[in-house]
Amino acid sequence: MSEFKNTVLEDFKDVWVFCEQRQGVLMPTDFELISEGRKLADELGVRLCGLLLGDKVEGLARELAGYGADEIIVCEHPLLKDYTTDAYAKVICDMVVERKPEALLVGATNIGRDLAPRCAARLHTGLCADCTHLDVDMGIYKDFLREASTLPEEKIAGMGSAIVLGKPHDVSRDLKMTRPAFGGHLMASIICPRFRPCMATVRPGVMKKAPFDQKRADSAVISKPEVKLAASDIRTQVLETVKEARKLVDLTGAEVIVSVGRGISKDIQGGIKLAEELADVLHGVVGSSRACVDAGWITADHQVGQTGKTVRPRIYIALGISGAIQHKAGMSDSECIIAVNKNENAPIFEIADYGIVGDLFKVTPLLIEEFKKAIESK
Amino acid sequence: MKIIVCVKQVPDTSGKVAVNPDGTLNRASMQTITNPDDKNAIEAALKLKDETGCRVTAVTMGPPPAEGMLRELIAMGCDDAVLISGREFGGSDTFATSQIIAAGINAIGLEKDDIVFCGRQAIDGDTAQVGPQIAEKLDIPQVSYVADIKKEGNEIVVKRMLEDGYMTVKVQTPCLLTCIKELNEPRYMSVGGVVEAYSKPMQVFDYPRLKDDPLIEADTIGLAGSPTNILTSFTPPQKGAGMMLEGADRATCEKLAGILAGKHII
């Protein structure tokens, strides 16, 4: 790796997306990242490449490309069948050293968050975790700040450089990677000005998926470089991979989410049942605050928030959720927020489109009936 | 066999978080705690100590007051602790931090059957990066998101959580494991432990102590050694308050249903 000079920035071009598959099935976040990567590649005026690792996975490449890639690099090897940090990190780093991408995006899944830091440390480059917004173009970035921050206009308008090692550095071609910190209390935009590739893990469910484009899928280059990998490169052994049998909650893809919070404490099962009934009426799913997960009332796959999932459904109904900032960080982009809480000062009302101050055990049954009536009479 | 546990002292973001006018965190006004996932890592190490009698060392990088946290971890059952502290280390991002902590672990000495434990992630940054980056700098295998650990002879078999299930993974030692809260319930400090906390050894590794490690260079630690820079930090605006409905009876719910139906929301 010593001959890899990654401080010569102009040697690096193209945006890459690591496309994760499990047991031959692409992860939903791959399509979001290809779509987002396309936007960034256009802002930089470079190509977008997907990087797909696995065993016999070439058949997945065209589908990926349809969301905006110019090329899918398919790295196939029997030792890439199951995810291991050692094998995947080696193949990715080898490809980066050989072909020198300018930016590398990785989905912030449990696997992406294992793989990306390992690669960044080996490549001696910067990595920003769990990004929720990515920009290159300064005009677009400034518009984003105008909408998403409380920074004064004169500060936003004057942005264009950063002090790096004591010297001003023009950030116009740097990837501006924005992420929440301190449980969502603060947002920070991070740059990686001196090393390439600039790396980011991106929160699943945040970036918008582009429409599938058959022409792009058909015209993309599918390349299959040689993969150098030996069993001795891998120091872990996957004995089994188990898919949890329980029904998984697809919060990130849900149109309607009815979430419960600490307010259900006096009748936990009853509260969850009411949320399920209301969700059924609206064809939605049940979410929860961190408090309920921490208390063991509901499984972690229901959790919305900074440490749970980021959601942006059409309707979000918060039952007995106070609205801690870490919860709001995961749902405040919902199109219509309805909150029911006994405490009129609950912070959830600050972001709710419609608020009802009352006992969820009394209000929810009425909502179920009235929503049913309203839907049936349409 | 010995176990090294990497821990971090963090501001308690579950309570009230104070933000300075310039958008930085007002740390002085906030309580500090041992990072929650790191306590699960400590507990995992202490469980293995209960079974095997191995030595457990807690390591942190931070300012001198972090000693208090390390004393608490000794009171929980750790045998000793190392505080990595120095002005030269300040301003480090995750990359530079992992260089320094890996050098600290090298100074303690990592042997064939040793294990390094970390928490999955710290609640101040939520990055989950430092653990895997330390493993890379030490050139040892890693398994993250560990929810169960079994030691059978010289083999470690762990349950590694995925969003949609889990993997069972066998890993060679020395290795680094990052622990999640499902792994265990951290124990409390024992009375005997508190009594002993100040009589057990605590070392401070400063810059002169670590500087001869090849990982420690002027351009690999501190602000100058951090590949990432903060361009700007900001607080998000509050979404404007919506409509508070009067009452909480059937009429209220009927009104809401009417509004939503009228706007084609339901």
Side-chain angles (χ1 to χ4, degrees):
Chain A
M1 199 75 65
S2 55
E3 76 284 4
F4 179 61
K5 286 261 185 293
N6 68 344
T7 52
V8 186
L9 306 191
E10 55 272 26
D11 287 354
F12 290 74
K13 58 170 179 281
D14 293 349
V15 174
W16 281 16
V17 169
F18 169 70
C19 301
E20 183 186 339
Q21 54 80 26
R22 296 185 188 172
Q23 274 102 40
V25 180
L26 292 168
M27 298 291 282
T29 195
D30 295 340
F31 307 119
E32 299 162 8
L33 286 193
I34 291 278
S35 309
E36 180 69 14
R38 176 75 262 158
K39 192 195 89 183
L40 299 173
D42 288 343
E43 288 176 30
L44 285 162
V46 298
R47 299 166 74 245
L48 176 71
C49 303
L51 185 59
L52 177 63
L53 275 63
D55 183 29
K56 305 186 184 78
V57 291
E58 190 183 349
L60 305 171
R62 296 263 170 225
E63 187 186 359
L64 282 170
Y67 291 90
D70 299 296
E71 178 178 352
I72 304 292
I73 304 165
V74 183
C75 299
E76 290 187 324
H77 196 286
L79 291 172
L80 293 173
K81 183 170 185 292
D82 292 316
Y83 171 77
T84 59
T85 315
D86 283 339
Y88 274 58
K90 178 176 190 300
V91 172
I92 290 175
C93 290
D94 283 352
M95 290 308 302
V96 166
V97 168
E98 190 184 313
R99 297 185 47 170
K100 299 189 173 65
E102 179 165 2
L104 173 56
L105 312 182
V106 178
T109 64
N110 288 14
I111 282 176
R113 298 175 98 224
D114 181 87
L115 177 64
R118 188 92 198 194
C119 293
R122 190 171 304 173
L123 295 165
H124 194 142
T125 192
L127 169 64
C128 184
D130 281 355
C131 299
T132 54
H133 207 271
L134 298 170
D135 295 283
V136 173
D137 184 274
M138 277 311 281
I140 297 173
Y141 176 64
K142 286 178 182 178
D143 282 344
F144 159 68
L145 288 180
R146 284 182 185 107
E147 194 181 311
S149 82
T150 50
L151 293 173
E153 174 58 30
E154 58 273 24
K155 182 151 186 207
I156 294 173
M159 282 175 84
S161 69
I163 302 297
V164 174
L165 299 185
K167 290 187 206 124
H169 165 88
D170 177 5
V171 299
S172 57
R173 212 186 151 82
D174 285 311
L175 181 61
K176 273 72 74 179
M177 303 174 279
T178 303
R179 70 180 305 264
F182 301 107
H185 295 268
L186 272 180
M187 302 291 289
S189 295
I190 310 290
I191 51 172
C192 174
R194 299 182 289 135
F195 301 93
R196 292 290 177 267
C198 163
M199 290 182 61
T201 60
V202 182
R203 213 161 210 241
V206 172
M207 301 303 174
K208 284 217 171 79
K209 187 166 101 172
F212 179 81
D213 179 350
Q214 187 65 50
K215 257 194 287 179
R216 210 181 255 288
D218 294 337
S219 64
V221 177
I222 310 291
S223 59
K224 291 187 76 179
E226 187 195 350
V227 173
K228 294 190 198 87
L229 202 56
S232 57
D233 293 325
I234 305 169
R235 294 165 289 185
T236 59
Q237 184 190 347
V238 178
L239 302 178
E240 60 170 347
T241 303
V242 177
K243 278 230 173 196
E244 216 86 316
R246 71 193 156 84
K247 190 167 153 266
L248 282 157
V249 189
D250 182 17
L251 281 177
T252 40
E255 288 258 299
V256 177
I257 296 173
V258 181
S259 279
V260 291
R262 218 188 290 270
I264 63 167
S265 63
K266 74 173 182 194
D267 177 7
I268 294 152
Q269 289 315 315
I272 292 172
K273 193 155 176 292
L274 281 174
E276 283 170 351
E277 282 177 33
L278 182 54
D280 277 348
V281 171
L282 302 169
H283 306 292
V285 297
V286 173
S288 97
S289 71
R290 178 173 174 169
C292 297
V293 173
D294 285 351
W297 300 344
I298 198 163
T299 51
D301 52 339
H302 291 271
Q303 187 179 330
V304 172
Q306 168 71 9
T307 44
K309 294 199 178 75
T310 300
V311 297
R312 49 161 96 190
R314 228 165 32 75
I315 306 175
Y316 189 93
I317 304 181
L319 302 175
I321 292 178
S322 65
I325 191 130
Q326 85 94 23
H327 186 78
K328 290 199 279 191
M331 47 66 76
S332 61
D333 282 342
S334 306
E335 280 175 40
C336 177
I337 298 170
I338 299 162
V340 179
N341 201 295
K342 272 203 290 204
N343 175 7
E344 63 181 314
N345 296 317
I348 192 77
F349 289 127
E350 293 164 11
I351 59 160
D353 297 280
Y354 301 99
I356 296 176
V357 179
D359 179 356
L360 75 94
F361 288 99
K362 294 196 180 113
V363 174
T364 313
L366 296 171
L367 284 177
I368 292 168
E369 286 177 27
E370 294 302 325
F371 281 10
K372 254 191 207 162
K373 265 196 249 168
I375 292 165
E376 278 162 13
S377 67
K378 281 188 114 174
Chain B
M1 176 176 107
K2 69 174 176 299
I3 301 176
I4 295 169
V5 190
C6 304
V7 293
K8 186 179 187 186
Q9 192 173 45
V10 293
D12 184 1
T13 55
S14 67
K16 206 165 163 52
V17 171
V19 177
N20 292 322
D22 65 352
T24 58
L25 199 74
N26 184 349
R27 286 173 186 266
S29 74
M30 293 174 66
Q31 296 277 343
T32 58
I33 55 169
T34 306
N35 181 54
D37 287 352
D38 300 353
K39 280 193 134 173
N40 297 104
I42 290 280
E43 178 61 32
L46 294 177
K47 276 217 173 86
L48 280 174
K49 179 186 170 180
D50 294 342
E51 288 168 23
T52 67
C54 67
R55 189 172 182 84
V56 175
T57 301
V59 177
T60 195
M61 181 171 108
E67 181 188 335
M69 170 189 67
L70 292 174
R71 295 284 177 203
E72 284 178 18
L73 300 177
I74 290 175
M76 281 173 74
C78 294
D79 296 289
D80 61 344
V82 172
L83 171 62
I84 302 172
S85 195
R87 283 227 321 261
E88 296 83 352
F89 305 143
S92 294
D93 69 358
T94 67
F95 179 95
T97 299
S98 69
Q99 297 273 136
I100 299 160
I101 295 177
I105 292 171
N106 281 336
I108 296 167
L110 199 60
E111 288 163 276
K112 175 73 191 85
D113 51 359
D114 293 349
I115 308 174
V116 180
F117 278 120
C118 297
R120 173 193 57 150
Q121 66 189 37
I123 58 169
D124 52 354
D126 286 318
T127 74
Q129 285 174 189
V130 171
Q133 290 184 319
I134 292 172
E136 171 64 21
K137 296 302 167 188
L138 294 171
D139 193 19
I140 61 174
Q142 78 196 40
V143 185
S144 54
Y145 289 85
V146 169
D148 191 34
I149 302 168
K150 286 198 179 67
K151 184 173 176 354
E152 288 154 1
N154 284 326
E155 280 182 350
I156 310 278
V157 176
V158 302
K159 181 179 182 184
R160 190 246 191 254
M161 297 311 291
L162 298 169
E163 291 87 341
D164 54 354
Y166 63 90
M167 285 174 166
T168 308
V169 181
K170 188 158 86 177
V171 56
Q172 300 172 10
T173 58
C175 62
L176 182 144
L177 307 176
T178 81
C179 304
I180 60 175
K181 68 169 185 281
E182 286 78 2
L183 178 60
N184 54 42
E185 192 64 47
R187 67 191 65 185
Y188 292 100
M189 292 180 269
S190 70
V191 175
V194 174
V195 172
E196 283 181 349
Y198 279 85
S199 61
K200 286 195 178 168
M202 161 116 48
Q203 294 185 73
V204 176
F205 289 179
D206 56 6
Y207 175 74
R209 174 78 173 79
L210 297 181
K211 71 176 172 43
D212 294 331
D213 190 296
L215 291 168
I216 304 294
E217 301 283 348
D219 60 357
T220 60
I221 63 164
L223 200 57
S226 297
T228 59
N229 294 67
I230 297 173
L231 176 62
T232 182
S233 65
F234 56 87
T235 48
Q238 293 274 342
K239 186 179 164 184
M243 180 195 287
M244 291 302 287
L245 296 157
E246 290 217 2
D249 54 8
R250 183 174 294 279
T252 310
C253 295
E254 191 179 356
K255 185 181 173 196
L256 176 60
I259 295 171
L260 296 178
K263 292 188 168 182
H264 305 288
I265 295 170
I266 61 171

